[in-house]
Amino acid sequence: FPREGNGWSFHYCRRQWSLRDNGYLKYQWLGEFDQDMIELAKSADLFKMRFGDLRLNDSERKILVFYRQGLMFAFNFHPTNSFTDVKVSLPHIADYEIALNSDDPKYGGNGLITKKTYPANVDKKGNSTISLYLPARTAVVLREGKIRVLPPAPKKKGNKK
């Protein structure tokens, strides 16, 4: 980009798509992730929902989680700290499966995130959460499964007088 060191030149200020095809660099992984991310956004009609629903914003740990169009987006922006058992409140009672994961070896990641079903944990009040492992500098997109409805609580029998 233009800066003092290159005389404010715009000469090299362009996208170099050929970098993805250079096997000596890591841009092919970014290209794969970008392609899969765009495909996921299209398949979920992601922008049909105007705003995301913020589920967790922990600035101290640098974690951000939001829900949009049946997808849960979880980001750990911390450069060095990984977090286990990150509790995220859910908009619906449903299990979640990984749809996209930046830590996947396919994208040059370390493969630390297990591809599994993340079951909803429901408390006595009917609130549900999932528990996530978020390694440092990762993004995970989880797809919402079938939404479950809890049966109504049994009515307590009162004393008749």
Side-chain angles (χ1 to χ4, degrees), residues 16-86:
Q16 296 183 29
W17 297 107
S18 63
L19 292 176
R20 180 180 180 172
D21 301 326
N22 184 330
Y24 297 109
L25 302 174
K26 297 181 180 184
Y27 290 101
Q28 72 273 10
W29 293 326
L30 182 59
E32 287 291 322
F33 183 81
D34 188 52
Q35 184 176 341
D36 290 352
M37 181 179 58
I38 290 169
E39 193 59 40
L40 179 65
K42 286 179 182 178
S43 70
D45 200 9
L46 192 59
F47 297 106
K48 182 178 181 180
M49 188 175 176
R50 187 169 178 172
F51 296 105
D53 177 12
L54 186 62
R55 307 310 295 178
L56 176 65
N57 183 5
D58 186 337
S59 57
E60 186 175 313
R61 295 192 299 173
K62 298 177 180 15
I63 295 174
L64 178 68
V65 181
F66 67 91
Y67 173 87
R68 186 175 190 165
Q69 205 63 11
L71 298 173
M72 186 75 69
F73 296 82
F75 301 90
N76 178 0
F77 294 108
H78 202 287
T80 56
N81 293 349
S82 298
F83 300 101
T84 58
D85 201 28
V86 176

Side-chain angles (χ1 to χ4, degrees), residues 10 13 23 46 57 70 135 138:
F10 282 85
C13 187
L46 192 59
N57 183 5
T138 57

